[in-house]
Amino acid sequence: MAATSPASYGGGGDGVGRRRVLMFPLPFQGHVTPMLQLADVFRSRAGLAVTVFHAPVNAPAAAAAAAAAGDYRFVTVGADVAEEAAALMPTGGSGSDFAGALMGLDALLRAPFDDALRHVLAEDAATACCMVVDSNLRGVQEVAERRGVRTLALRTGGACCLVAYMAFPELCGKGVLPPASRDQLQLDMQLDELPPLRLRDMMFSATSTHATMATCLERLLDSARCSSGVILNTFEDLENSDLRKITNGLNVPVYAIGPLHKISIGQESSLLTQDQTCLEWLDKQEAESVLYVSFGSLASMDSQELFETAWGLVDSKIPFLWVIRPNSVQGSQQACLPDGFEEATRGRGMVVSWAPQQDVLRHRAVGGFWTHNGWNSTLESICDGVPMICRPQFADQMINTRYVQEVWKIGFELEGKIERRMIDRAVRKLLCSEEGKEMRYRAKDLKNKAITCIEKGGSSNTAIHMLVNLIMSF
Ligand code: UDP
């Protein structure tokens, strides 16, 4: 397909007459961000108009700023069930039943979404051509299907994760999952079907029951299978073989169009206010000298782990930028750092409650990332050539960690009970050792591949054109 320019599909700047894509993200940071980045790509690259439906919790900031009409609209779904939705939102990191919460939200939003969709279709029936739905919202997708709207499923995780989810039912059928015991040897067992994963990497939650998890994944896979195509925020050179497995296994077209944050033009998607002052602080640091420490929007630690992390960072003597979100320490709204920490790290370390992460990882001063390995963080780190210390907690994080360590070899896992000496050692390994240098070298190679795939003729660029073509054919 020839390159398309904005508005080349007809209609005016107010969105009237233009093809309109409907979208519905799951209301979590790691899901809202790629969905809005995709909206941005549709609008800026293909001139498509977009309507984003969103839950009454974690509403994107862009929703407040957007005009009620025009080429970019936001529709709140379920304002009158906002309290129930808020009560369903998981709060306690790995202690939360995420699978149950996701299905609860999906069920709660179904009826209000049906209402909202009916109104939107009454206004836009001629131009609304399809809906991109987060693959965790199977119920929402069913509503759209029933109203005759074609759907595409956005998977906000990596291809490696989707392949593992696809193998989950078979592993259950074989009696491998759930594990017969919590015996460490058994949990460490390598899964022949899914190298380099171990049995324990497939235990996505400590609190969701096996039955809840199985249903949640079944619905997620249904969402992909029932769609007209699966969209993944990844790129061919990173996950080539897993992308093939998905295409063969799901029997629907697969569009690997990432890294979205490098393609979109930067529409604001952060749900929390980002502290920009850390960028000025980074400007004063030496190249590749700083460790960036952040565990995303949901992972949490207890106060003992916080103390050990703080003293480990002190002992390493390495400059660091550490994100401590409000409520990231279990049982307290505001984290309490140990006495003496501030004096010991003055001038060398900075703590913020939320950072402009993509700008941070892009900054020349950042030499390593200690992360929980949410997919967005993993991909953002890869695409800026930053090697990682991995500390996964739940969901797909263990899978991403295994790929970082065993497949891409651009980082390593910090295993076992967190304790200051292991942190000191890990930080030095990443930033000061020959091994760390090699990891950085490989990460930079992947960064270059990511750049190539989004250029004209690159795999992601081509996949975007094919996706837009598909949308135009509806
Ligand atoms: N993020 C951010 N500032 C921070 C920490 C995280 O903007 O201080 C962003 C990060 O860039 C990423 C998202 O929040 O896009 C987190 O998503 P991820 O999938 O890594 O983890 P989750 O929050 O879903 O566990």
Side-chain angles (χ1 to χ4, degrees):
M1 178 181 128
T4 46
S5 59
S8 58
Y9 292 120
D14 58 356
V16 176
R18 285 209 220 167
R19 287 263 172 167
R20 180 172 294 277
V21 178
L22 313 178
M23 304 182 113
F24 203 144
L26 192 70
F28 294 100
Q29 182 71 75
H31 294 251
V32 168
T33 295
M35 187 69 87
L36 294 191
Q37 287 166 343
L38 182 59
D40 202 21
V41 169
F42 285 153
R43 294 172 61 235
S44 63
R45 295 276 179 111
L48 292 161
V50 169
T51 296
V52 179
F53 294 90
H54 62 87
V57 278
N58 278 347
D71 71 341
Y72 198 26
R73 297 181 199 157
F74 285 78
V75 177
T76 308
V77 172
D80 50 354
V81 292
E83 268 180 38
E84 285 110 301
L88 281 168
M89 297 297 278
T91 50
S94 55
S96 298
D97 173 11
F98 274 94
L102 297 187
M103 288 195 292
L105 273 170
D106 183 39
L108 183 70
L109 295 174
R110 270 183 83 125
F113 172 63
D114 196 22
D115 267 357
L117 182 61
R118 207 161 25 85
H119 278 104
V120 165
L121 291 179
E123 278 172 28
D124 278 322
T127 52
C129 53
C130 68
M131 169 141 182
V132 180
V133 65
D134 188 290
S135 59
N136 287 288
L137 295 173
R138 173 68 188 133
V140 161
Q141 183 188 27
E142 282 167 342
V143 169
E145 285 164 358
R146 219 165 300 134
R147 295 224 168 255
V149 178
R150 303 284 288 267
T151 63
L152 293 154
L154 176 65
R155 265 299 302 152
T156 56
C160 52
C161 166
L162 186 50
V163 165
Y165 287 176
M166 284 162 63
F168 191 88
E170 194 188 323
L171 290 170
C172 297
K174 284 185 183 167
V176 177
L177 283 170
S181 77
R182 293 269 154 169
D183 174 61
Q184 198 56 41
L185 266 181
Q186 193 192 3
L187 297 180
D188 285 344
M189 183 182 84
Q190 298 283 334
L191 295 172
D192 294 339
E193 303 83 347
L194 289 172
L197 303 188
R198 302 155 301 188
L199 185 53
R200 65 179 155 115
D201 301 317
M202 295 293 284
M203 298 174 61
F204 306 118
S205 161
T207 41
S208 305
T209 64
H210 176 73
T212 308
M213 185 54 73
T215 309
C216 185
L217 294 185
E218 194 184 307
R219 291 180 67 73
L220 186 148
L221 294 174
D222 279 350
S223 151
R225 288 195 191 100
C226 296
S227 72
S228 299
V230 177
I231 305 169
L232 284 133
N233 186 15
T234 187
F235 55 99
E236 282 279 348
D237 277 348
L238 185 68
E239 300 201 272
N240 196 309
S241 74
D242 282 334
L243 285 164
R244 293 288 83 72
K245 286 182 198 163
I246 295 170
T247 308
N248 296 336
L250 291 181
N251 225 4
V252 290
V254 172
Y255 300 90
I257 59 162
L260 277 167
H261 71 289
K262 293 290 182 192
I263 303 170
S264 71
I265 51 171
Q267 175 70 47
E268 186 49 65
S269 64
S270 185
L271 298 174
L272 297 171
T273 306
Q274 298 174 326
D275 185 338
Q276 302 289 336
T277 60
C278 60
L279 296 175
E280 288 154 35
W281 181 82
L282 283 174
D283 286 344
K284 297 190 197 108
Q285 310 303 318
E286 284 179 25
E288 293 178 355
S289 67
V290 175
L291 178 74
Y292 172 56
V293 186
S294 171
F295 306 110
S297 61
L298 294 162
S300 62
M301 51 172 67
D302 63 29
S303 50
Q304 184 60 29
E305 289 168 327
L306 180 86
F307 270 44
E308 292 301 316
T309 302
W311 289 124
L313 291 174
V314 168
D315 293 348
S316 74
K317 310 230 167 11
I318 296 286
F320 64 87
L321 170 62
W322 183 8
V323 177
I324 308 182
R325 285 186 339 261
N327 78 23
S328 63
V329 176
Q330 291 144 18
S332 63
Q333 256 310 303
Q334 210 52 52
C336 233
L337 283 160
D339 290 340
F341 174 79
E342 209 184 313
E343 298 85 83
T345 59
R346 191 165 293 137
R348 173 166 73 82
M350 184 170 191
V351 177
V352 295
S353 57
W354 196 243
Q357 181 164 302
Q358 290 161 25
D359 297 327
V360 167
L361 288 169
R362 194 183 308 137
H363 200 287
R364 55 153 195 88
V366 172
F369 183 11
W370 180 5
T371 170
H372 70 309
N373 281 128
W375 180 250
N376 293 287
S377 295
T378 306
L379 192 65
E380 288 161 14
S381 204
I382 288 172
C383 294
D384 277 304
V386 179
M388 291 165 251
I389 296 173
C390 309
R391 182 76 182 170
Q393 287 197 358
F394 55 88
D396 61 340
Q397 296 159 17
M398 292 81 73
I399 296 172
N400 302 334
T401 290
R402 289 299 281 172
Y403 274 66
V404 166
Q405 178 172 297
E406 303 293 326
V407 179
W408 305 313
K409 300 185 193 308
I410 53 173
F412 56 91
E413 183 175 2
L414 198 57
E415 285 190 80
K417 191 168 175 322
I418 280 281
E419 158 289 293
R420 63 192 73 182
R421 270 165 314 176
M422 80 197 261
I423 294 171
D424 174 20
R425 276 197 300 272
V427 173
R428 287 166 173 283
K429 176 171 161 183
L430 192 70
L431 283 146
C432 311
S433 78
E434 201 50 41
E435 224 180 322
K437 209 188 263 177
E438 283 165 17
M439 291 176 196
R440 184 165 306 106
Y441 180 79
R442 285 189 286 268
K444 287 198 168 146
D445 182 46
L446 285 176
K447 168 186 174 173
N448 291 334
K449 287 182 168 146
I451 293 171
T452 308
C453 81
I454 61 177
E455 283 168 359
K456 197 160 180 254
S459 62
S460 294
N461 192 277
T462 306
I464 290 174
H465 286 318
M466 286 165 61
L467 177 61
V468 170
N469 271 348
L470 175 76
I471 290 173
M472 296 313 296
S473 74
F474 291 151

